[in-house]
Amino acid sequence: MKKRILSGIQPTNQITLGNFLGAIKLFEQLQNEGELFIFVADLHALSSNNYEPKKMQENILNVLKVYYAAGLDFDTTKVFIQSKIPAHTEMFNALINFTTIGELSRMTQFKDKSSKFKMNNGTEKIPTGLLTYPVLMAGDILLYDATIIPVGIDQKQHVELTRDIAIRINNKFNTKIFEIPEPYFSKTGTKIYDLINPKIKMSKSNENTNGTIFINDDIQIIRKKIMSAMTDNLNSVNYDKENQPGISNLINIVCSINECDKDQIIMQFKDKNYKEFKTYVADVVCDFIHNLQTEIKKIDINNLLNKVEKNNQYCNEIANKKINEFYKLIGLK
Ligand code: TRP
């Protein structure tokens, strides 16, 4: 059997350049490496602190469109919507009984994200969904026997937890019901940082949106965001993440888009100032996003949704088989 590769993106807010260069581009490159499952993680979005019900359907469609424009082939790659496969919820509900509150509360993502729910007066109302988030993710992975999980480094711990859960259940019932997954990181993959605060990841949910480039942003706005990106006072285009995180981030962005070598850029801007460099970066990014936006505008939405519907059906078959097998194992059938 072909290896299964699986990953997803949450439909919170709009897709960013960081999502695109860090994840979606990699998905496209993995299309010939195995059977690829790429989904829209709408159930995960429920636990986000900026979840907006009224925008969900639009956000889901946007993620699908970006997947399509990025070159995912919806006929061979199983692009689907998580909530359309009820087995994800069923698996989650069963798996929470094979994890402990202790291990979930030790997840660094949980610690980071729960701090956003602390109020000034000291009280905190952390949704339980934030704690159980990695179990939902484990269900996503284990339902499909996926073994290769392309994720950002911030999700590594969740994939490791998934491994632990799979091994724990296999041992407990003395079976091989679950394949043991592994996180997969792109070799060339670039983590893109915030333009204003280049020490934090470029994220859909960063408070100051001037540091985030959204794929749907107006091209002029993107240019402005890049021209006002945080730099330093060393005035020399160099790759030095420690002392020049802003400039290093801009180099990464350009090299990721153009698939060029960092040294090449450094040479090219050896005697140039930051304004000249930023103008070049803005040209590259604006051109790239403009093309992407043109592709997105051309998409035949009905055709796209038909293909997704077919994929949802295919995934339901696989996932239902697995959940039935698991229900038998735990005495529910
Ligand atoms: N949690 C992932 C993220 O925020 C998205 C995700 C949900 C995922 N389920 C998954 C990724 C399963 C890989 C496999 O990036």
Side-chain angles (χ1 to χ4, degrees), residues 6-10 19 27 39 41 44 82 109 113 133 136-138 140-141 149-152 154-155 158-159 201 204:
L6 174 138
S7 194
I9 290 185
Q10 280 190 43
N19 295 132
F27 299 163
F39 63 99
H44 278 98
Q82 186 188 28
Q109 280 265 306
K113 297 214 165 156
Y133 182 105
L136 183 58
M137 191 162 153
D140 299 336
I141 296 169
I149 317 299
V151 282
D154 59 328
Q155 299 294 315
H158 295 165
V159 182
K201 184 175 129 177
K204 304 185 194 92

Side-chain angles (χ1 to χ4, degrees), residues 107-132:
M107 294 285 122
T108 52
Q109 280 265 306
F110 173 70
K111 291 190 210 160
D112 288 354
K113 297 214 165 156
S114 53
S115 65
K116 292 192 182 163
F117 290 89
K118 289 205 174 93
M119 327 234 204
N120 291 337
N121 65 10
T123 55
E124 48 180 39
K125 289 192 174 170
I126 303 168
T128 311
L130 212 57
L131 181 71
T132 56

